[in-house]
Amino acid sequence: MDILSGVRILDFTRYAAGPQITLLLAFMGAEVIKVESRVDMDHFRRQEAAVVFGSERAAADCFNSLNANKLGTTINLKTIEGIELAKRLVRISDVVVDNFRAGIMDRLGLGYGVIRGIKPDIIMLSASSHGSTGPESGYIAYAVTMGALSGLSQVTGYAEGPPVIMRSSADLRPGTSAAFAILAALNYRQETGEGQFIDFSAREALTCGIGETIMDYTMNGRVHSRSGNRDDIMAPHNCYRCRGDDKWVSIAISRDDEWEALCHALGNPPWAGDERFTDQFSRWQHHEELDELIEAWTINHTHYEVMETLQGAGVAATPSSSNEELFNDPHCRERECFTPVQHPEEGELYVLAPPWKFSATPARVTAPAPLLGEHNGYVLGELLGMPEEEITRLIAEEVLY
């Protein structure tokens, strides 16, 4: 039995952050009904996504990865009947999720006050960039602006360079955090019978990931900026160039015994005993000289050779993996990190598998992402009990569109 078996989620999400929320819940067995239409379809189905990703297949891969295991229905929310259909689906659902800009669900007539009147114990999560309150709540946002406002971009990058723009990671990390919030609300409802509204801010979720910088300011008055790959304590701590085109290895040392292991693995070069590197603090003070000496060794080896040599000595060292290397990595293969699914139009596609390995209630990929409106018959016919003639009429009148 899946851990979320019996939980139905009405999914109004688009782009990446929102679909990531419901994807994780679908991995655990929730029945997720994705609502879109040709008037307002998911970003990754649009023609411009194919241009950005280089091909329709690449855009389809992205959509498939974020929407596996879900059902698809095409309800046109620009129509009165479409809104009424959505309300009927609310009545038989446990959770409603959207990632529209704050206020849009209210303007559609599907705000929490309305849907709670339809189903009192409903859980609704509205995921927006800035949350539903505050002076910036109406601002438009994408991953790049969420990363910037969260403070994450400002502390990411090299000291001499500009802040690094956050891309998909600024969507997927908040999405994962929001899924956790829904699980907590489901647990609360199971204990009390009460639903609730979750006002989720993606930028706040990202800020939670750099809490130490906020604490440092409030306690010490220090303003953080970018420091490249340098750590506040560890040294060496960097990504070093290896033999080959754009090949790198990450190495981190936190204790003296790891330092001694590194020196031994490198053949105890003369500089290993230099007084500049006698302890953790002195190594940290002279990290730039140390980086040059280490890279003079790594450049003569492949990144995998460095990993095998140093890991064998008990030193944290791993290649900076490309997507090609990840996909073909024996460790990832053995743990089935990438799952093939048979898509009705695209053939075999690989999607990311859930990163958890439950011993009793396995989370898994069971189906590819839905085609546009693929499950209209099931959702409207079986779940809502509508006769086929009525569904045909709704299609003709572009309520199902």
Side-chain angles (χ1 to χ4, degrees), residues 121-148:
D121 66 347
I122 196 77
I123 294 166
M124 180 175 185
L125 182 140
S126 286
S128 59
S129 172
H130 310 286
S132 67
T133 58
E136 297 169 0
S137 59
Y139 282 12
I140 189 170
Y142 293 101
V144 56
T145 57
M146 292 191 296

Side-chain angles (χ1 to χ4, degrees), residues 2 22-34 63-72 339 341 351-352 354 362-370 375:
D2 295 321
T22 49
L23 173 71
L24 298 178
L25 303 173
F27 281 156
M28 292 185 275
E31 183 181 72
V32 177
I33 301 173
K34 187 177 180 72
F63 181 82
N64 204 54
S65 288
L66 287 165
N67 293 283
N69 286 15
K70 302 178 187 178
L71 306 173
T339 302
V341 292
V351 298
L352 288 166
R364 59 188 184 274
V365 179
T366 57
H375 302 98

Side-chain angles (χ1 to χ4, degrees), residues 5-299:
S5 178
V7 174
R8 180 174 294 134
I9 297 173
L10 196 55
D11 178 1
F12 294 94
T13 66
R14 309 284 189 271
Y15 296 92
Q20 170 75 356
I21 304 169
T22 49
L23 173 71
L24 298 178
L25 303 173
F27 281 156
M28 292 185 275
E31 183 181 72
V32 177
I33 301 173
K34 187 177 180 72
V35 179
E36 53 183 334
S37 73
R38 289 178 175 79
V39 174
D40 182 24
M41 68 175 68
D42 193 287
H43 171 77
F44 293 115
R45 289 195 196 271
R46 297 179 189 169
Q47 189 61 39
E48 56 264 36
V51 174
V52 171
F53 284 87
S55 69
E56 290 185 2
R57 171 62 187 255
D61 283 351
C62 192
F63 181 82
N64 204 54
S65 288
L66 287 165
N67 293 283
N69 286 15
K70 302 178 187 178
L71 306 173
T73 186
T74 47
I75 297 176
N76 184 354
L77 298 177
K78 301 289 185 185
T79 66
I80 295 173
E81 272 196 282
I83 296 297
E84 292 306 311
L85 282 177
K87 290 178 179 177
R88 290 177 65 180
L89 288 174
V90 167
R91 190 171 292 114
I92 60 169
S93 297
D94 301 284
V95 181
V96 173
V97 184
D98 79 273
N99 67 329
F100 295 128
R101 200 184 316 172
I104 287 184
M105 286 295 274
D106 287 319
R107 291 198 286 278
L108 286 171
L110 295 171
Y112 179 62
V114 173
I115 67 169
R116 184 179 55 180
I118 297 170
K119 188 171 187 191
D121 66 347
I122 196 77
I123 294 166
M124 180 175 185
L125 182 140
S126 286
S128 59
S129 172
H130 310 286
S132 67
T133 58
E136 297 169 0
S137 59
Y139 282 12
I140 189 170
Y142 293 101
V144 56
T145 57
M146 292 191 296
L149 269 174
S150 72
L152 188 57
S153 293
Q154 186 67 12
V155 296
T156 305
Y158 289 100
E160 65 276 14
V164 170
I165 287 175
M166 300 289 115
R167 301 183 67 181
S168 297
S169 67
D171 280 323
L172 302 184
R173 279 182 274 182
T176 303
S177 177
F180 166 79
I182 290 173
L183 290 175
L186 283 169
N187 184 65
Y188 176 76
R189 193 184 72 164
Q190 188 172 26
E191 295 293 324
T192 67
E194 299 289 332
Q196 60 183 303
F197 177 65
I198 305 170
D199 174 13
F200 183 85
S201 163
R203 60 179 278 192
E204 291 172 29
L206 289 170
T207 300
C208 287
I210 53 169
E212 77 281 4
T213 67
I214 306 299
M215 184 179 293
D216 197 21
Y217 176 73
T218 58
M219 294 181 67
N220 305 310
R222 288 190 293 215
V223 176
H224 279 236
S225 188
R226 297 166 295 287
S227 57
N229 295 331
R230 189 174 181 180
D231 185 70
D232 291 338
I233 298 173
M234 290 193 281
H237 184 280
N238 209 337
C239 208
Y240 302 91
R241 186 177 292 277
C242 293
R243 191 174 70 212
D245 182 27
D246 196 26
K247 301 301 181 185
W248 304 80
V249 66
S250 290
I251 301 173
I253 297 290
S254 67
R255 305 192 307 263
D256 286 342
D257 61 321
E258 293 175 350
W259 167 250
E260 291 168 5
L262 173 69
C263 294
H264 181 71
L266 269 60
N268 288 314
W271 52 261
D274 194 300
E275 62 179 10
R276 293 173 298 170
F277 311 134
T278 53
D279 57 37
Q280 182 77 23
F281 184 58
S282 63
R283 289 193 290 274
W284 184 84
Q285 286 180 305
H286 299 94
H287 70 98
E288 290 181 354
E289 300 101 298
L290 188 54
D291 284 346
E292 290 179 6
L293 292 166
I294 291 174
E295 190 163 89
W297 176 75
T298 62
I299 194 65

Side-chain angles (χ1 to χ4, degrees), residues 1-3 357-364:
M1 182 177 180
D2 295 321
I3 199 165
K357 310 295 183 190
F358 289 85
S359 62
T361 55
R364 59 188 184 274

